[in-house]
Structure formats: C-alpha cells, structure tokens
Amino acid sequence: MKFVLIDTRINQFSFSPSGVQVPPNTKVRIATQIGRKYTKLDDTHYEITLIAQIKNSEEYPSPFNLVSEFSGLFEVTEVKDDSDLRKFVIEGSKAVYPHLCALFANVATMARVPNLHLPFKSGPVLPEDEDKFAFVVGGAENGNNQPN
C-alpha cells in the first residue's frame, strides 16, 4: 500500500464562550476530544478528517467551546485488503495530526486562551489505532499469565 498527501484543508474552526463563569484563580479541567472520519472519494482518493474539540458539559464545565477540523486528501494505491486500509488510515492520520495541532493552538491563541495545545503524539493519534498484544509471561502452561 502506498499513499501520498495531495492537499490539506481547514474545514472548521470556531471559538465561542459557553456562558460558564469561572471564579478567579480556579483551575479548570479542560477535556479535549479528538475524533476522526475518513471517506473514500473514488478508487484511489481518500479524505481523512481529524476533529479536536472542547465542549462545555456537566462532567467537564468549560468557559468556552472550541472546535478545529482539518482534512487531508490522499492518493492511495495498492490497497489489497482491510488491513492495508487500516494501516493507511492510521498513517494518514499521523500525517494530518500536526496540521490539526497547529490549527487548534492558533484558534486558542486568537481567543486569548494561553498555552492550550493538543498533546504531542509520536505513535498512533487515536487510542483505537494502537495494536493490542496479549503477552504470555512464564507459567502459561498452567493457564497462569503472571510471572512466577
């Protein structure tokens, strides 16, 4: 499987006050949600869209709502099966993620929210992209997966 990032696009960026009043010197726990969608446009073109948002909720009150949505257009060839497609989506997301980070930080800066950045990711962008391995450590012959 081979892919090339052809184009990038900002789909949405917005900031709005939520109406929640935060007393001075109060620490607010900001919950950032990151999501993804991908679309097959034709036989060789796919679009991967990453969305980062902070939304005011009961669980995580926030004095503002912030949404950043960024897409990458890819030309993809030699996709043999679903495994190749999954690899492309993971690797393509890694290519789009730094652009989303920059957009997110810029929107926050323009809204005068200091030091609000998405986390640095050297591996998979989303938790569901991580491979889960089952390791068997000592004593597996008796059904024990714990070290002896």
Side-chain angles (χ1 to χ4, degrees):
M1 177 262 315
K2 297 178 184 177
F3 67 91
V4 176
L5 178 61
I6 298 172
D7 195 13
T8 58
R9 179 180 66 233
I10 297 171
N11 298 336
Q12 176 185 0
F13 65 95
S14 65
F15 178 91
S16 62
S18 68
V20 171
Q21 298 296 318
V22 178
N25 300 321
T26 302
K27 289 192 176 198
V28 177
R29 183 172 175 210
I30 302 293
T32 305
Q33 300 169 336
I34 300 175
R36 170 184 58 216
K37 55 187 173 184
Y38 69 94
T39 308
K40 182 176 183 175
L41 303 173
D42 60 35
D43 287 342
T44 60
H45 293 93
Y46 287 80
E47 183 177 69
I48 294 178
T49 301
L50 296 179
I51 304 125
Q53 59 185 1
I54 297 170
K55 295 278 189 174
N56 177 42
S57 67
E58 273 188 43
E59 187 176 359
Y60 297 107
S62 171
F64 58 86
N65 297 306
L66 187 151
V67 178
S68 298
E69 185 174 312
F70 200 92
S71 292
L73 176 64
F74 295 87
E75 182 174 9
V76 185
T77 56
E78 301 177 23
V79 176
K80 298 176 186 113
D81 55 21
D82 286 347
S83 175
D84 279 350
L85 181 59
R86 181 176 189 277
K87 286 177 190 172
F88 156 67
V89 171
I90 291 169
E91 294 303 315
S93 296
K94 288 181 190 178
V96 174
Y97 186 73
H99 300 284
L100 177 71
C101 290
L103 175 62
F104 188 85
N106 284 329
V107 172
T109 300
M110 288 186 295
R112 298 182 182 188
V113 178
N115 299 319
L116 187 59
H117 302 277
L118 294 176
F120 172 75
K121 302 275 188 167
S122 61
V125 173
L126 300 174
E128 59 263 27
D129 294 344
E130 296 177 15
D131 287 326
K132 306 291 184 213
F133 296 101
F135 291 98
V136 177
V137 181
E141 60 278 351
N142 354 349
N144 180 7
N145 288 337
Q146 301 300 315
N148 291 337

